[in-house]
Each structure stands twice: as C-alpha cells, then as structure tokens.
Amino acid sequence: MMKQTEQQQDARLAEIVALGRQRYLSAGGDPRSCPSGMHGDDYLTDEERQEALVLMQKLAGIRIKDGYVYCQGRSWKLASN
C-alpha cells in the first residue's frame, strides 16, 4: 500500500503527464496515439521533465549516490562518459 507522500508523488507525476498529453493534443496530435516520450517529443518543459524524472526515480525506489545506481537490492556503477 502506498504511503500518503507516495500517493501525492504519483498524483503529481500523473498531472505532469496529463499536461504533456494536453499540449500534444492542442498541437494537433492524434488523440488515438501518444508522442514518443523522447526529449523534445514529450511536450514538457525542461523543468517538468526533470521533476517527472525525479518523481519516477522516487516511486521506483531508484537512488543514485557516489556514481552508483541502487535499485531493487542491486547496484551498478554509472558510465563515466
């Protein structure tokens, strides 16, 4: 079961995704499909994209610390480039 803060984070993420979807439709996008979600084709501002990334990491339990990624009991070193 999600804690209240997780529910709030999930709701905020859904809000950001809905904003991007609305902008996509307002720009003449096909309502039966969705944008690719790739940078530049997600209809989000840089700030919204960054906030969504942080929220997704928190909700998925992903942490990045000292050049390592920690997720689901596993860890690996980030690429240096």
Side-chain angles (χ1 to χ4, degrees):
M1 183 173 192
M2 277 194 219
K3 294 185 277 182
Q4 181 64 26
T5 57
E6 290 173 331
Q7 289 175 340
Q8 291 169 334
Q9 291 170 344
D10 189 51
R12 176 61 183 147
L13 181 58
E15 188 178 305
I16 292 170
V17 170
L19 281 170
R21 175 81 175 152
Q22 186 56 50
R23 290 182 191 133
Y24 168 72
L25 295 173
S26 295
D30 183 352
R32 295 173 303 203
S33 91
C34 60
S36 70
M38 301 295 289
H39 181 74
D41 190 36
D42 58 8
Y43 293 83
L44 298 175
T45 66
D46 289 339
E47 293 80 17
E48 290 166 341
R49 189 177 303 107
Q50 183 62 35
E51 183 181 358
L53 177 63
V54 169
L55 288 169
M56 286 185 277
Q57 288 174 342
K58 286 180 181 179
L59 290 167
I62 298 171
R63 291 184 306 113
I64 300 172
K65 182 178 178 186
D66 299 328
Y68 284 85
V69 176
Y70 300 89
C71 179
Q72 297 179 344
R74 300 174 64 197
S75 66
W76 58 93
K77 186 165 180 51
L78 288 171
S80 59
N81 54 355

